[in-house]
Amino acid sequence: MDLVVQDTPEAVAECAAQHVASRVLALPSAHLGLATGATPRGVYQRLTNAHQRGMLPLSEVRYFMLDEYVGIDTKEPTSFQNVLRRELLSPVGAEPHSLEILDGNAADLSAEADRFEEALRSSGGIDLQILGIGTNGHIGFNEPGSSFTSRTRMVELHEETVQSNSRYFDSPEVVPRKALSQGLATIFEARSILLLATGDSKARAISSMVEGPTSPSNPASILQRHPDVTVIMDAAAASRLRSAQSAISKVSA
Ligand code: PGA
């Protein structure tokens, strides 16, 4: 696992955008897995800016959703599909079908999860999966207790996640309690993973992911076993890492 510590969230976004851009420049038809949430927003802004300045061709890229709420209309601003189209795909002029969606309004959510898995498999898989991390260590919406062999499926969100997500909704009653999420085994199959974390609320989850035991009670810890993971975080998110000092020296080297 490569640990990169930057001073600020803006520097994390800049560094992460460069990481993504370098992969896309090396492989213009890359398959990118896209996380939603607050953390990757600055990355998508920078990718959009680079594209609009003519420095980053994105027309051949294919995108895959990481997760989606169940039961939120895609016209709602909180729908993850809506967020991704608004913040990245529309500004870069991506074709609507270049995003492989997870349809949280499908009549049969289990069939939708299977369809997504099949689309992923037949596409050849994800080259670079962008991830955030929950305060409880979830990746995607794989909450503590999720099996390391889990595939894309409907999941129940833990109370901590519902509380955290409530900042995006007008009232607590309308915060979704279910979602579709790529499974841990699905995420693990991505050839390369970029995980982003900012703020001290993520410090505990980051130290458990990097230095804790690998266990389904700590879902992100599965990434310790992956051969190509880069974690870009700010100093606050890295503050509980015993290895933070060596990570910091690695960045400044
Ligand atoms: P955040 O969410 O980027 O909004 O903090 C991350 C996550 O819950 O995976």
Side-chain angles (χ1 to χ4, degrees):
M1 210 181 258
D2 280 344
L3 304 177
V4 179
V5 182
Q6 299 285 343
D7 286 339
T8 63
E10 292 72 28
V12 168
E14 185 61 36
C15 182
Q18 285 175 17
H19 184 95
V20 176
S22 71
R23 298 296 172 107
V24 172
L25 288 168
L27 181 64
S29 60
H31 293 176
L32 295 185
L34 300 178
T36 319
T39 316
R41 187 169 289 152
V43 182
Y44 299 152
Q45 274 169 3
R46 283 164 175 79
L47 293 176
T48 298
N49 290 344
H51 174 78
Q52 290 172 345
R53 291 200 311 272
M55 296 167 72
L56 184 63
L58 290 168
S59 57
E60 289 178 52
V61 173
R62 191 164 166 197
Y63 305 92
F64 294 81
M65 290 182 71
L66 173 65
D67 46 16
E68 175 63 286
Y69 291 129
V70 165
I72 295 285
D73 193 284
T74 54
K75 294 192 180 64
E76 292 290 329
T78 47
S79 143
F80 285 179
Q81 184 184 158
N82 188 323
V83 170
L84 292 173
R85 291 197 188 282
R86 194 175 69 232
E87 295 188 355
L88 180 62
L89 301 178
S90 297
V92 303
E95 296 290 336
H97 64 262
S98 66
L99 176 66
E100 193 64 57
I101 66 163
L102 279 161
D103 181 2
N105 292 300
D108 184 340
L109 292 167
S110 171
E112 170 61 6
D114 292 348
R115 182 205 62 74
F116 181 86
E117 283 278 336
E118 176 54 25
L120 198 50
R121 196 197 57 72
S122 61
S123 76
I126 289 177
D127 294 300
L128 177 63
Q129 175 66 56
I130 300 169
L131 296 175
I133 187 168
T135 53
N136 65 1
H138 72 214
I139 50 174
F141 275 133
N142 295 283
E143 301 283 35
S146 299
S147 166
F148 280 2
T149 61
S150 54
R151 311 295 315 187
T152 304
R153 68 207 183 288
M154 200 274 286
V155 294
E156 307 268 349
L157 303 181
H158 286 193
E159 194 55 36
E160 184 172 338
T161 301
V162 174
Q163 292 299 327
S164 172
N165 294 343
S166 65
R167 64 198 142 134
Y168 299 114
F169 292 85
D170 293 337
S171 68
E173 311 84 65
V174 297
V175 184
R177 294 185 167 265
K178 293 180 179 169
L180 283 171
S181 178
Q182 286 189 34
L184 290 173
T186 317
I187 293 169
F188 195 81
E189 284 170 5
R191 285 179 276 284
S192 181
I193 289 178
L194 173 63
L195 186 140
L196 310 174
T198 57
D200 53 13
S201 68
K202 301 293 175 70
R204 181 174 52 96
I206 286 290
S207 77
S208 301
M209 172 182 79
V210 177
E211 295 168 344
T214 53
S215 154
S217 63
N218 178 15
S221 66
I222 191 174
L223 300 180
Q224 290 178 23
R225 299 178 180 170
H226 193 285
D228 185 354
V229 176
T230 301
V231 182
I232 306 179
M233 61 202 137
D234 67 0
S239 59
R240 284 175 175 246
L241 279 177
R242 288 194 300 277
S243 47
Q245 287 314 312
S246 56
I248 290 164
S249 21
K250 182 174 170 183
V251 173
S252 44

